[in-house]
Amino acid sequence: MDELTRLVHKRLVLLHVQASSCLEEIRASGLSAHLMSVDGNPFPGADGWTRAPYPMPVIDVKGKGSIGFDPAGAFFVFAVPTTEAQPASIDALSDCFENTALLGAVSLRDYQLGRNRAVQSVAAAARDGEPALLVIVRFGLETEGLLRLFEQAALIMAGQLPTLLSPPELKRLDTSTT
């Protein structure tokens, strides 16, 4: 096995180990969740977002959102119908987590270009006919405490302010690599 193949294999093993560990932690916390293998998840590239043509482990946390794992790291996804999007919640999430994206679910167009506030971004997505928005928060694959971070992000997306961690504390835990 050449060095590049060994490194790719090592990274794939790590992301599956992280997904399994996170699923165990979620279930131990009492939340309902299941592990899926999903093709076509948004993946950040040099020229914007694309759909990954290979399966990635994604944990669906019932009623809250998803936690996924890909070679670039771990990520949270909250799919929100454009007509129901709460700009204040999206802005609060972006303020708390440095590596947040707002994408059109169909086009993968990045609606946070120029870091528009969410009210402008949601309006632009509605004008473009996007049925839903994907709010994505990315982390390094080795980030500790993903479940706690996910719970905070889910609270924010539900319109509740973080109660366990303040925005500066969340920023310190946000060890994004992209």
Side-chain angles (χ1 to χ4, degrees):
M1 182 182 305
D2 68 8
E3 184 63 15
L4 180 58
T5 303
R6 188 185 68 71
L7 289 173
V8 169
H9 175 73
K10 185 177 177 181
R11 188 71 173 180
L12 290 172
V13 167
L14 177 61
L15 71 94
H16 283 277
V17 166
Q18 292 291 72
S20 295
S21 296
C22 189
L23 179 61
E24 288 176 21
E25 186 179 349
I26 290 168
R27 287 182 175 161
S29 76
L31 294 172
S32 177
H34 67 278
L35 183 63
M36 308 177 293
S37 183
V38 178
D39 293 340
N41 263 348
F43 189 80
D47 297 328
W49 292 80
T50 60
R51 294 197 187 277
Y54 50 84
M56 291 184 243
V58 175
I59 301 168
D60 179 42
V61 183
K62 187 171 181 162
K64 295 192 180 283
S66 300
I67 303 172
F69 302 85
D70 62 31
F75 56 93
F76 305 155
V77 178
F78 304 97
V80 181
T82 305
T83 57
E84 297 173 21
Q86 298 176 15
S89 295
I90 296 169
D91 284 340
L93 192 72
S94 294
D95 291 344
C96 287
F97 295 97
E98 291 176 3
N99 201 356
T100 304
L102 182 62
L103 306 178
V106 174
S107 68
L108 295 188
R109 177 178 170 199
D110 188 343
Y111 283 98
Q112 274 190 318
L113 291 174
R115 297 315 252 173
N116 289 334
R117 297 310 283 174
V119 70
Q120 297 162 325
S121 300
V122 171
R127 277 193 309 274
D128 289 349
E130 284 288 350
L133 291 167
L134 302 176
V135 183
I136 301 174
V137 182
R138 294 198 63 85
F139 298 90
L141 193 54
E142 296 83 7
T143 300
E144 299 275 330
L146 279 177
L147 177 57
R148 188 170 72 171
L149 293 171
F150 177 78
E151 288 173 332
Q152 288 300 306
L155 283 173
I156 293 168
M157 287 303 296
Q160 301 172 18
L161 295 177
T163 54
L164 299 176
L165 298 174
S166 67
E169 290 171 316
L170 284 168
K171 280 190 184 277
R172 281 196 300 275
L173 292 173
D174 183 2
T175 56
S176 305
T177 59
T178 57

